[in-house]
């Protein structure tokens, strides 16, 4: 004889006691659970027509307490907000109440403190409140090619300090081979709504490199400053060391010491500062057959200088201190002594060049003055002043140490 599921079976399924044999008993004894009984039958829950149980155990399901879930979510959000307020307050050095007033747009907070709180939000990676997202972050991107060359950390220190004095925080972006590119950094900085960007030693100095990301910055009207010589078509203010004067100084120094066969170790052929140095070298009567191009590294300097040593040079002018150190190593590998057999001049006057053996004669870039000028130009653009896309040239200084001496008689 066919029949519906037993009350006892349904009762066990819904978690209540039912001692009758059919559903009506369950309904009579548990009127408040009518909907649960109906749901148990509709869903099957381990019952077959006739009241037979399916083999296996049935899972008891409890109704979801929606109000309790909302309370838990609210408590979790409150904890996250409390941690965020505490972290930002600690970063800025103010109370959590002050941070809360800034985030809620309430009065009673100075403009300087408000900017400091918003900058801390950006630095810590938190989103600004919706009503404050129209403001640009007081962040400035500082894009460098590397940190192995000591001149770039020194420049970053100058620029970072000058920006801090103006109420900005620098965001250091360093290119890596096979990693994040300069164009990727530009996209990231635009997403972060930075106030401006300073580039040093970037792809703008290489004529054959891609320059689309610079053109994007120009289209967006984002304040930008380039440090050292750039290709001609980029319409940005520039701050540069005078490469022509640097080459003139180095060549005049070696000639005054009696050197006639003077060579040059420069960066890649499309590198604009190297091109300027070469133009001056040739204009001053230098021998174009004694010029080598290489990448900016100790190893590149060693390889290029080794070729010049085989051609009988007695003096070498290098486009960076790292290239000069590579030249010293190449001379020693050839059994020569610096400066008795060959004189070497670097460029930059990076940190510790007075501690090398021998201490390096070099042409010093005035990075303090250049870094501060770059920040002044950038802040002027941020403040909506009209800044012409001119190049400011800073004169270098010859620093004579022990890597140069009189040439062979």
């Amino acid at each position: 004889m066919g029949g519906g599921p037993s009350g006892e079976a349904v009762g066990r399924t819904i978690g209540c006691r039912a001692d009758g044999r059919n559903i009506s008993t369950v309904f009579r004894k548990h009127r408040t659970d009518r909907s649960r009984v109906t749901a148990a039958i509709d869903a099957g829950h381990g019952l077959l027509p006739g009241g037979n149980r399916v083999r296996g155990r049935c899972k008891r399901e409890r109704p979801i307490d929606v109000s309790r879930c909302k309370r838990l979510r609210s408590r979790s959000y409150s904890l996250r907000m409390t941690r965020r307020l505490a972290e930002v307050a600690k970063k800025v050095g103010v109370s959590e109440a002050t941070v809360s007033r800034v985030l809620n747009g309430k009065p009673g907070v100075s403009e300087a403190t408000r900017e400091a709180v918003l900058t801390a939000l950006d630095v810590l990676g938190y989103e600004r409140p919706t009503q404050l997202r129209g403001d640009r972050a007081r962040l400035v991107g500082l894009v460098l090619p590397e940190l192995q060359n000591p001149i770039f950390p020194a420049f970053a220190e100058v620029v970072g300090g000058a920006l801090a004095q103006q109420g900005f925080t620098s965001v250091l972006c360093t290119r890596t081979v096979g990693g994040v590119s300069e164009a990727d950094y530009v996209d990231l900085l635009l997403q972060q709504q930075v106030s401006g960007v300073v580039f040093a030693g970037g792809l703008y100095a290489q004529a054959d490199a891609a320059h689309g990301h610079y053109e994007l910055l120009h289209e967006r009207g984002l304040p930008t400053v380039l440090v050292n010589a750039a290709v001609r078509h980029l319409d940005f203010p520039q701050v540069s060391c005078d490469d022509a004067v640097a080459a003139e100084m180095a060549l005049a120094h070696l000639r005054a010491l009696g050197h006639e066969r003077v060579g040059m170790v420069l960066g890649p052929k499309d590198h604009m500062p190297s091109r300027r140095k070469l133009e001056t070298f040739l204009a001053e009567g230098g021998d174009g057959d004694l010029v080598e191009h290489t990448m900016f590294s100790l190893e590149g300097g060693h390889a290029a200088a080794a070729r010049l040593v085989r051609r009988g040079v007695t003096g070498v002018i290098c486009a960076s201190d790292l290239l000069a150190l590579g030249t010293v190593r190449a001379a020693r590998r050839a059994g020569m002594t610096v400066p008795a057999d060959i004189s070497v001049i670097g460029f930059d006057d990076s940190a510790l060049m007075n501690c090398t053996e021998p201490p390096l004669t070099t042409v010093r870039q005035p990075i303090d003055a250049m870094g501060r000028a770059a920040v002044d130009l950038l802040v002027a653009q941020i403040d909506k002043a009209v800044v012409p896309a001119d190049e400011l040239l800073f004169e270098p200084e010859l620093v004579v140490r022990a890597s140069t001496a009189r040439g062979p008689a």
Side-chain angles (χ1 to χ4, degrees):
M1 293 177 60
S6 71
E8 183 177 358
V10 174
R12 285 198 302 271
T13 301
I14 65 173
C16 62
R17 296 183 62 189
D19 49 7
R21 286 187 168 275
N22 54 45
I23 298 302
S24 61
T25 306
V26 178
F27 277 133
R28 284 197 303 274
K29 283 185 171 268
H30 304 280
R31 293 184 185 279
T32 58
D33 291 318
R34 181 181 297 271
S35 62
R36 294 175 63 198
V37 174
T38 305
I41 296 171
D42 291 342
H45 281 297
L47 300 174
L48 292 173
N52 301 316
R53 280 190 73 79
V54 177
R55 293 179 65 186
R57 302 182 70 180
C58 293
K59 214 177 201 182
R60 174 180 172 183
E61 296 192 3
R62 300 186 179 204
I64 297 173
D65 188 341
V66 176
S67 63
R68 184 169 182 270
C69 287
K70 286 181 178 178
R71 287 197 303 274
L72 289 173
R73 281 199 300 269
S74 176
R75 188 180 306 166
S76 174
Y77 175 77
S78 177
L79 288 172
R80 287 200 307 272
M81 281 301 299
T82 301
R83 284 197 296 268
R84 180 181 302 184
L85 288 175
E87 194 174 355
V88 173
K90 182 179 178 181
K91 182 81 174 173
V92 181
V94 297
S95 68
E96 293 179 30
T98 299
V99 175
S100 179
R101 283 198 294 272
V102 172
L103 298 185
N104 291 296
K106 293 184 178 179
V109 182
S110 69
E111 184 63 23
T113 301
R114 192 182 84 87
E115 291 293 348
V117 168
L118 294 177
T119 299
L121 279 176
D122 299 323
V123 170
L124 293 171
Y126 294 129
E127 281 191 18
R128 294 186 178 205
T130 305
Q131 71 271 20
L132 300 176
R133 288 179 192 170
D135 297 349
R136 278 206 178 276
R138 289 186 72 81
L139 300 175
V140 170
L142 176 54
V143 185
L144 304 176
E146 57 168 322
L147 293 178
Q148 291 181 340
N149 187 334
I151 195 67
F152 291 118
F155 183 77
E157 184 178 1
V158 172
V159 170
L163 285 170
Q165 290 176 350
Q166 301 268 14
F168 292 90
T169 300
S170 60
V171 179
L172 184 60
C173 305
T174 308
R175 301 199 321 258
T176 55
V177 178
V180 182
S181 68
E182 204 173 71
D184 292 334
Y185 275 128
V186 167
D187 289 339
L188 178 62
L189 292 171
L190 287 173
Q191 289 172 19
Q192 293 299 316
Q193 291 191 316
V194 296
S195 297
V197 187
V198 176
F199 290 90
L203 297 178
Y204 59 85
Q206 295 177 234
D208 298 337
H211 300 133
H213 51 291
Y214 298 111
E215 293 163 5
L216 175 62
L217 290 174
H218 196 272
E219 290 171 7
R220 296 283 184 91
L222 189 70
T224 302
V225 177
L226 310 179
V227 178
N228 279 329
V231 293
R232 295 184 185 280
H233 67 274
L234 298 178
D235 196 23
F236 292 116
Q238 298 174 46
V239 174
S240 303
C241 182
D242 196 327
D243 295 295
V245 172
E248 243 175 55
M249 286 178 170
L251 185 58
H253 176 61
L254 289 178
R255 284 180 172 169
L257 293 173
H259 293 276
E260 296 180 357
R261 290 188 63 76
V262 176
M264 287 196 95
V265 176
L266 301 172
K269 291 184 177 181
D270 69 333
H271 184 244
M272 299 305 294
S274 292
R275 284 185 177 182
R276 290 182 176 184
K277 291 181 177 74
L278 177 59
E279 287 172 4
T280 300
F281 179 75
L282 297 177
E284 294 293 321
D287 188 347
D289 292 332
L290 299 180
V291 176
E292 288 290 335
H293 292 273
T294 186
M295 61 181 183
F296 282 101
S297 67
L298 191 72
E299 296 76 16
H302 183 168
R307 294 190 290 270
L308 290 177
V309 166
R310 289 194 292 268
R311 292 180 211 156
V313 298
T314 62
V316 181
I317 301 169
C318 301
S320 78
D321 290 337
L322 283 182
L323 292 178
L325 294 180
T327 299
V328 171
R329 190 169 73 175
R332 286 176 175 162
R333 292 283 177 87
M336 303 174 75
T337 302
V338 178
D341 300 316
I342 186 170
S343 290
V344 179
I345 299 180
F347 178 78
D348 285 337
D349 194 25
S350 310
L352 306 180
M353 289 304 109
N354 59 336
C355 301
T356 59
E357 181 52 44
L360 187 67
T361 296
T362 186
V363 179
R364 176 183 294 160
Q365 289 200 74
I367 60 167
D368 284 346
M370 290 170 61
R372 293 185 180 280
V375 171
D376 288 343
L377 288 173
L378 188 77
V379 173
Q381 293 178 71
I382 293 171
D383 291 341
K384 307 302 181 184
V386 178
V387 179
D390 295 333
E391 182 178 20
L392 302 183
L393 290 176
F394 286 76
E395 188 161 326
E397 176 188 356
L398 179 67
V399 181
V400 179
R401 298 193 181 106
S403 66
T404 52
R406 294 204 63 81

